[in-house]
Amino acid sequence: MGYTSMTLTRYREEMPEKMLTYLEASLSSSERAKELVAKMLTFSHDDETESESIQARPIIERAVQSYRSQLPEHIELELLIHEDLPDIFFSGHKLTSVLNILLDNSVESMYREGTIQVKLFMYHADGDECSNCHRQLDRKSTRLNSSHQIISYAV
């Protein structure tokens, strides 16, 4: 970030327009990544809420409905939830926070119109490795995914 900012400050007048556009996009993306990391660190240090057995579906539905009211008109939000999901052992507050961080990141990375898709579904971890303990997993789990599709135009 520092070198990009310094280059923009020092050589802005001498740069071709396309290079200026690329460096500004790079700086903007770096700022967004910095903010995302700060949010994740804040989330990971929040130990005030206790985990409990909860139904994720109503929490995700409320969080998505609430987030929809903040979205710009050019971004759509889809919610796909599988039926008959088991309860999960987690904090409802933290689940909402995780979803908001994912959605913030998707919205901030979309320059033009597009769709954000949130999925809550059963996932069978067949031979996957736990990122925490590095053991092989062979069990079913509930998974929350957020992805976005950007509609871009050739210029």
Side-chain angles (χ1 to χ4, degrees):
M1 280 175 40
Y3 286 117
T4 305
S5 179
M6 184 175 63
T7 301
L8 282 168
T9 301
R10 187 167 181 182
Y11 299 107
R12 179 179 295 274
E13 302 301 322
E14 301 167 27
M15 281 186 214
E17 186 66 31
K18 196 162 201 127
M19 181 185 290
L20 186 61
T21 302
Y22 290 150
L23 287 174
E24 287 173 341
S26 173
L27 189 60
S28 174
S29 295
S30 298
E31 286 290 336
R32 189 168 46 84
K34 179 181 164 188
E35 290 171 9
L36 181 61
V37 168
K39 287 178 185 177
M40 288 189 298
L41 288 173
T42 300
F43 169 78
S44 68
H45 289 102
D46 178 21
D47 291 330
E48 294 176 21
T49 54
E50 292 291 322
S51 294
E52 58 186 346
S53 182
I54 59 171
Q55 290 184 356
R57 180 186 196 101
I59 294 169
I60 295 298
E61 286 174 336
R62 278 193 305 273
V64 165
Q65 188 61 34
S66 174
Y67 203 90
R68 271 194 179 112
S69 64
Q70 316 172 37
L71 279 176
E73 289 181 12
H74 63 278
I75 297 176
E76 293 183 34
L77 183 55
E78 290 180 358
L79 177 60
L80 304 169
I81 300 179
H82 286 192
E83 297 295 323
D84 303 322
L85 291 173
D87 287 0
I88 61 172
F89 193 73
F90 206 65
S91 157
H93 171 72
K94 282 190 174 187
L95 183 58
T96 301
S97 295
V98 166
L99 181 59
N100 284 333
I101 289 170
L102 290 170
L103 291 172
D104 285 346
N105 186 50
S106 291
V107 168
E108 290 171 8
S109 67
M110 299 174 81
Y111 300 110
R112 298 208 171 133
E113 63 190 67
T115 302
I116 299 171
Q117 190 176 71
V118 175
K119 292 183 196 176
L120 185 64
F121 60 98
M122 282 298 294
Y123 175 76
H124 185 80
D126 186 16
D128 291 355
E129 182 180 290
C130 175
S131 60
N132 189 32
C133 68
H134 304 289
R135 284 188 278 168
Q136 293 285 17
L137 300 175
D138 185 24
R139 63 187 170 108
K140 291 184 178 179
S141 62
T142 304
R143 183 168 276 194
L144 174 66
N145 280 3
S146 172
S147 63
H148 59 275
Q149 176 183 1
I150 302 170
I151 299 172
S152 59
Y153 303 95
V155 188

